Amino acid sequence: MSNPLLVGAVAYTPNVVTIWEGMREYFAGTPSEMDFILFSNYGRQVDALIDGSIDLAWNTNLAWVRTVLQTGGECTAVAARDTDTVFQSVFISHAGAGMKGLASLSGRRLALGSQDSAQAAILPIHFLRKAGLGDSVELLRIDSDVGKHGDTGRSELDALRAVLDERADAAAIGINTWDAIGRDELMPGAFEAFWESPHYSHCNFTALTTQPESRVAPWVDHLLAMDWENPAHRPILEMEGLRQWVRPRMEGYGSLFEAVQEQEVAPRW
């Protein structure tokens, strides 16, 4: 393999290794061969992208925002999952609690996920403030996977448990956790969603603008060619939680840029 494109990803679960070995195999023998480096947290990955140790970073939306801010905008988002373009935060309560909409949170306690989770902490606070509820909701913060931007889902499960244990009236989680875990994992029928946020954008592959287009473009083209109907491609797509790679929806990051500025979110964890 001569001069492969080096992609960074965060090792938030053991199957990340399997995913990226599959990705490397998919690109093998093409004009855009790749290898990968795994990081323990997104702060180190962003640093590695900026200092040139990696060519591309598989970033969360918060890691993207931080890359933009730390480079003065000298970076570009080149690809995302189809699911990343329609991401949402979901507010969950006990089934039958009678909560309807954001206003029902006034005077109640909301459990949040890790402080660096856009979907389970930063954006939920932003949406509460936009609705004029910033001072009327008590927040229970659960920082159980800081550094991984909520990727593990652990803090979101802990937030749901706080509702079960009656330490909170509601929990803020990401739509992926709600769809994959929250509906049935802890107690079938125990929860219901009483509010879903507007759509926003989540992860993307990030490159610096100094990265030659001649290296990035063929890689992106081959990535977008992955086919759900191809049995050799589907396992990777399933593990990464998508059916199709797409171009990022850039306007979907606006709410997080606003939230990071409003809340003075730390530049690095």
Side-chain angles (χ1 to χ4, degrees):
M1 200 187 309
S2 60
N3 196 26
L5 202 70
L6 198 54
V7 181
V10 170
Y12 64 90
T13 185
N15 75 349
V16 166
V17 175
T18 305
I19 292 169
W20 285 98
E21 286 180 342
M23 290 281 279
R24 181 172 58 191
E25 182 177 344
Y26 170 72
F27 283 93
T30 74
S32 50
E33 293 195 350
M34 60 152 286
D35 204 348
F36 63 93
I37 294 178
L38 298 181
F39 295 88
S40 65
N41 62 77
Y42 282 99
R44 291 194 178 279
Q45 179 167 290
V46 170
D47 289 346
L49 180 66
I50 292 172
D51 71 21
S53 299
I54 56 176
D55 302 310
L56 286 174
W58 179 224
N59 275 336
T60 62
N61 47 359
L62 180 59
W64 160 250
V65 168
R66 286 174 166 166
T67 304
V68 171
L69 296 177
Q70 290 178 42
T71 63
E74 295 299 316
C75 57
T76 182
V78 298
R81 300 170 296 192
D82 50 5
T83 48
D84 287 313
T85 65
V86 290
F87 214 86
Q88 292 174 283
S89 295
V90 185
F91 287 11
I92 308 300
S93 65
H94 271 300
M99 299 183 71
K100 302 292 182 184
L102 284 183
S104 61
L105 276 170
S106 182
R108 300 193 180 185
R109 178 177 289 188
L110 175 68
L112 299 175
S114 293
Q115 60 184 309
D116 60 354
S117 170
Q119 67 268 15
I122 299 169
L123 283 170
I125 292 172
H126 174 69
F127 295 130
L128 285 175
R129 290 180 177 177
K130 284 193 73 172
L133 296 167
D135 297 325
S136 63
V137 180
E138 184 180 354
L139 302 178
L140 173 64
R141 292 183 175 272
I142 301 172
D143 292 322
S144 45
D145 58 357
V146 174
K148 301 211 168 39
H149 294 190
D151 274 354
T152 68
R154 177 183 163 193
S155 67
E156 294 173 54
L157 287 180
D158 288 343
L160 289 172
R161 290 190 183 95
V163 175
L164 285 180
D165 296 342
E166 299 185 350
R167 292 182 289 122
D169 300 295
I173 63 176
I175 188 67
N176 57 341
T177 298
W178 178 235
D179 285 340
I181 300 171
R183 298 180 193 273
D184 300 310
E185 176 83 358
L186 299 178
M187 187 183 299
F191 303 106
E192 63 184 13
F194 64 91
W195 185 79
E196 294 183 355
S197 76
H199 289 130
Y200 55 84
S201 294
H202 206 270
C203 297
N204 69 57
F205 285 103
T206 306
L208 299 185
T209 54
T210 52
Q211 189 65 234
E213 180 72 6
S214 60
R215 272 174 61 76
V216 175
W219 189 90
V220 172
D221 288 343
H222 194 57
L223 179 76
L224 298 180
M226 288 187 80
D227 184 0
W228 177 262
E229 300 303 328
N230 186 323
H233 302 172
R234 186 176 292 191
I236 301 170
L237 296 171
E238 286 181 327
M239 283 188 288
E240 261 299 336
L242 72 151
R243 292 179 69 93
Q244 183 180 9
W245 294 104
V246 298
R247 299 289 181 178
R249 188 176 69 91
M250 301 311 299
E251 64 271 22
Y253 295 106
S255 57
L256 186 56
F257 275 100
E258 291 176 12
V260 165
Q261 182 177 17
E262 291 166 358
Q263 298 169 41
E264 298 181 343
V265 174
R268 188 179 189 279
W269 272 291

